[in-house]
Amino acid sequence: MTNGRQFVFTMTTGRSGTAYLTELLGANMPDVESHHEFLGWRDFGLNTPDVSHLALFNAEGNVEKVQTFWRHKHSVILNSRAHCYVETNHVLMKAGLVENIAPLTSAGHVHLVDLQRDMGATIRSFRARYDFFNKGDQWFWYLDETYPRNLCGFDKFSKYGHSGLCLWYITEIRLRAAFYARLVKTHPNITVHRVRLEDIARAEGALKLLADLGVSRPGGQLRMPPPQNVGSPALDMSAAEADLLNKLVAAAQFDADALADAAVREGLNFDPE
């Protein structure tokens, strides 16, 4: 393990393996406090961003109400006695995590895990659980395609219905993750790790991620958790919808890093300190 406290968060879509990642790190990192999401009714607005934090951040930016949330959130994290704090909640990045990260970088090293999953599998998971079928769901957990601070336009996705909306969201998140990685790459106390769920679900990939996080764990001592959040889907996909989805994903080729560089050149920036 590296010296100093360690803080691990994700930059990801959800339905991408965050629960699995929580279990993997919690089982293999020494002296760790590991959380997936805080979902108790007392947690929203205190330990988890509520709808107002998400809407304000994505419409107006890092305004005072958003900063107040993060001051409380980081004070709780810093009061943890564990050497390593892990929270894989995908909502955090969409509500100003990186913009407000300075208190944690002053106390230790922040690891941002850009966790990606096959786009088709992610969209099928969204559909199976009725995600993105109403605005309340988007405002509460994901992103609204009309937020003014989005990096990716929605027009070219709009005609493809639910699958197009989900594909837009995945694209937006990957662009944001690449954008943040571009902006923090010279920060001495922030490291971005781009990993795929399909890789860390295997021992070789899990060991590599742990090593990148400063944890030496011989293969014989690795604890691999079972898959998380699996079960029968609540909403199946017709053959025609599945065919359309496969075509959309096959056509959705983009260079997130190049697009993030372009966004920086156009003047989008912030100071994570």
Side-chain angles (χ1 to χ4, degrees):
M1 200 76 175
T2 57
N3 294 327
R5 294 192 64 187
Q6 307 289 301
F7 307 98
V8 182
F9 303 96
T10 59
M11 300 191 295
T12 188
T13 60
R15 305 300 184 200
S16 54
T18 53
Y20 172 83
L21 179 63
T22 306
E23 296 297 322
L24 176 69
L25 300 184
N28 291 283
M29 299 186 79
D31 192 13
V32 62
E33 179 181 339
S34 184
H35 301 282
H36 178 215
E37 297 167 338
F38 291 96
L39 300 181
W41 60 270
R42 292 181 182 272
D43 289 311
F44 287 97
L46 292 174
N47 296 311
T48 297
D50 65 22
V51 173
S52 67
H53 297 120
L54 278 162
L56 282 170
F57 177 76
N58 288 283
E60 301 179 19
N62 194 28
V63 297
E64 179 58 31
K65 182 174 181 178
V66 174
Q67 294 177 41
T68 298
F69 165 81
W70 284 108
R71 283 193 290 269
H72 170 80
K73 175 74 173 174
H74 288 330
S75 70
V76 173
I77 293 173
L78 290 171
N79 282 331
S80 168
R81 296 185 178 182
H83 176 78
C84 182
Y85 179 91
V86 173
E87 187 173 350
T88 65
N89 186 348
H90 64 93
V91 175
L92 300 182
M93 182 263 276
K94 292 171 287 196
L97 167 68
V98 182
E99 285 83 352
N100 295 279
I101 206 69
L104 301 188
T105 59
S106 296
H109 198 96
V110 173
H111 299 271
L112 302 174
V113 181
D114 178 359
L115 177 61
Q116 300 184 6
R117 182 189 183 191
D118 174 80
M119 289 192 290
T122 306
I123 294 173
R124 287 189 290 272
S125 185
F126 287 146
R127 179 182 173 83
R129 293 166 177 79
Y130 293 95
D131 290 330
F132 290 93
F133 281 100
N134 64 75
K135 283 295 184 182
D137 172 74
Q138 287 183 243
W139 293 337
F140 210 89
W141 301 113
Y142 301 111
L143 292 171
D144 190 312
E145 69 276 15
T146 67
Y147 280 142
R149 300 183 71 241
N150 291 335
L151 295 180
C152 180
F154 179 63
D155 288 350
K156 57 183 173 292
F157 299 90
S158 61
K159 63 182 178 181
Y160 299 112
H162 179 263
S163 291
L165 178 58
C166 293
L167 186 58
W168 165 81
Y169 170 71
I170 295 171
T171 304
E172 174 69 20
I173 291 297
R174 292 193 181 182
L175 287 180
R176 290 194 189 196
F179 177 65
Y180 284 135
R182 168 67 171 77
L183 293 178
V184 304
K185 68 179 182 180
T186 61
H187 197 296
N189 289 336
I190 302 177
T191 302
V192 176
H193 309 269
R194 183 174 293 175
V195 300
R196 289 175 49 83
L197 172 62
E198 293 81 1
D199 293 332
I200 64 172
R202 299 191 296 268
E204 181 180 3
L207 286 169
K208 182 181 186 307
L209 175 59
L210 288 167
D212 290 343
L213 293 173
V215 178
S216 176
R217 193 128 185 129
Q221 298 178 17
L222 177 66
R223 298 178 185 175
M224 293 288 288
Q228 304 291 313
N229 293 329
V230 295
S232 299
L235 182 63
D236 290 325
M237 181 176 287
S238 70
E241 290 170 324
D243 182 60
L244 172 61
L245 174 58
N246 291 336
K247 291 177 179 177
L248 285 174
V249 170
Q253 304 299 320
F254 60 94
D255 187 334
D257 295 312
L259 292 172
D261 284 342
V264 172
R265 288 195 300 270
E266 290 171 7
L268 290 176
N269 212 332
F270 71 95
D271 184 4
E273 299 181 1

